[in-house]
């Protein structure tokens, strides 16, 4: 009887040990799954990558040709094409000099042009993407704008070219560039030094006619030079 009781006691002990060994891995497995669920990374959208993909899509050579002028806006149902409207404005950064002997003035400006190119419309991802920015202007169509009364001019390229191109979801394109210009200004000096001179900044297209391209000032421009004096800009668009 004593030997049988001892065997029974040992049998129950072995059974409890086996049950304990079986229970621990099961619990550890549940804990591992729980931790794995908790540590699952949150999916974050990389909108910079989305922007690149959008640019690659809308500027694909099979879809977009930067040599072709965009069609006009606000066309009626019977019209298939019209002149491209280019809105122009500028910010005068400084007047470097006004020369009454050579009858010219030198100015540094930020020159902006805006137009619509319906081929560049894109999905703004529910308002997450306000616009796309590029620094290579050759990728989109550009108006061939020049200054009719320019004597000399230069772009600013330090540290990088001072320009950008922004494309908006509705196809609007904004082109901004910093330039320094020396412009002619015929002066009437009969009342000098009590004279008042009016100098023009004349903007025109080099190759397109008004049937293809129309310039329009976006707003009246003023420049502040750090003093109490404002410069009123008078311009001529041809």
């Amino acid at each position: 009887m004593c030997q049988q009781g001892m065997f029974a006691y040992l049998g129950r002990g072995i059974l409890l040990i086996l049950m304990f060994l079986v229970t621990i891995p099961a619990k550890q497995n549940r804990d591992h799954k729980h931790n794995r669920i908790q540590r699952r990374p949150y999916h974050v959208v990389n909108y910079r990558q989305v922007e690149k993909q959008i640019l690659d899509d809308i500027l694909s050579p099979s879809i977009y040709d930067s040599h072709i002028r965009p069609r006009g806006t606000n066309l009626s149902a019977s019209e298939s094409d019209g002149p491209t409207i280019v809105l122009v404005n500028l910010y005068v950064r400084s007047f470097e000099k006004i020369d009454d002997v050579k009858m010219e003035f030198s100015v540094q400006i930020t020159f902006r042009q805006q137009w619509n190119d319906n081929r560049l419309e894109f999905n703004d991802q529910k308002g997450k993407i306000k616009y796309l920015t590029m620094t290579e202007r050759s990728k989109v169509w550009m108006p061939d704008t020049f200054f009719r009364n320019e004597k000399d001019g230069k772009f600013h390229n330090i540290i990088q070219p001072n320009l950008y191109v922004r494309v908006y979801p509705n196809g609007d394109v904004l082109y901004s560039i910093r330039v320094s210009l020396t412009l002619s200004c015929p002066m009437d000096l009969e009342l000098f030094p009590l004279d008042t001179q009016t100098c023009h900044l004349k903007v025109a297209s080099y190759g397109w006619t008004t049937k293809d391209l129309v310039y329009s000032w976006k707003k009246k421009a003023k420049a502040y030079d750090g003093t109490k004096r404002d410069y009123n800009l008078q311009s001529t668009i041809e």
Side-chain angles (χ1 to χ4, degrees):
M1 292 293 293
C2 182
Q3 187 175 9
Q4 291 180 353
M6 184 173 61
F7 286 148
Y9 177 77
L10 290 175
R12 287 196 299 271
I14 293 171
L15 180 62
L16 288 173
I17 292 172
L18 290 175
M19 290 177 64
F20 181 74
L21 291 175
V22 171
T23 303
I24 289 177
K27 183 177 183 303
Q28 290 179 344
N29 190 42
R30 288 196 301 270
D31 292 342
H32 178 70
K33 289 182 178 180
H34 179 68
N35 292 334
R36 187 172 58 184
I37 293 173
Q38 283 186 333
R39 294 175 184 175
R40 183 175 296 171
Y42 179 74
H43 180 65
V44 178
V45 178
N46 185 347
Y47 284 103
R48 303 293 80 78
Q49 186 65 33
V50 175
E51 290 175 0
K52 180 184 181 302
Q53 186 60 51
I54 292 173
L55 283 172
D56 290 343
D57 291 341
I58 63 179
L59 297 177
S60 172
S62 61
I63 299 175
Y64 189 83
D65 188 345
S66 61
H67 298 95
I68 299 177
R69 177 181 64 84
R71 65 194 297 270
T73 57
N74 299 324
L75 299 176
S76 64
S78 60
E79 295 176 312
S80 60
D81 195 13
T84 302
I85 308 298
V86 179
L87 302 178
V88 176
N89 74 340
L90 57 87
Y91 172 72
V92 178
R93 308 185 70 89
S94 65
F95 273 95
E96 298 178 3
K97 69 175 181 177
I98 300 176
D99 193 327
D100 56 357
V101 176
K102 295 182 179 180
M103 295 192 178
E104 65 183 24
F105 68 100
S106 297
V107 64
Q108 184 184 131
I109 64 173
T110 297
F111 186 64
R112 305 182 187 96
Q113 301 176 86
Q114 184 174 339
W115 63 93
N116 182 269
D117 191 335
N118 65 302
R119 299 170 296 175
L120 299 177
E121 295 178 358
F122 64 89
N123 185 343
D124 64 356
Q125 304 295 311
K126 298 181 179 180
K128 296 292 185 180
I129 300 178
K130 303 299 182 182
Y131 52 78
L132 306 173
T133 301
M134 299 184 295
T135 55
E136 297 182 42
R137 57 186 175 182
S138 61
K139 289 189 174 183
V140 298
W141 177 88
M142 288 277 171
D144 58 345
T145 306
F146 79 108
F147 302 101
R148 291 175 58 91
N149 56 329
E150 175 197 347
K151 286 187 173 181
D152 190 20
K154 68 174 183 177
F155 298 120
H156 293 265
N157 296 312
I158 301 175
I159 299 176
Q160 291 289 332
N162 295 180
L163 66 88
Y164 65 78
V165 179
R166 287 178 179 169
V167 181
Y168 292 85
N170 65 346
D172 280 354
V173 181
L174 174 63
Y175 174 44
S176 177
I177 187 169
R178 178 180 168 220
V179 294
S180 291
L181 300 168
T182 298
L183 303 158
S184 65
C185 178
M187 301 180 184
D188 182 0
L189 302 175
E190 184 178 353
L191 299 178
F192 183 85
L194 303 176
D195 58 313
T196 299
Q197 305 297 331
T198 300
C199 294
H200 296 269
L201 178 64
K202 299 180 179 180
V203 178
S205 168
Y206 192 81
W208 300 105
T209 69
T210 53
K211 293 182 178 180
D212 303 305
L213 198 64
V214 175
Y215 290 95
S216 177
W217 284 105
K218 188 174 182 180
K219 63 179 180 179
K220 293 182 179 179
K222 281 190 175 182
Y224 183 64
D225 65 352
T227 68
K228 296 295 184 181
R229 179 179 55 185
D230 285 337
Y231 294 97
N232 290 319
L233 303 179
Q234 296 196 19
S235 53
T236 301
I237 293 180
E238 300 178 359

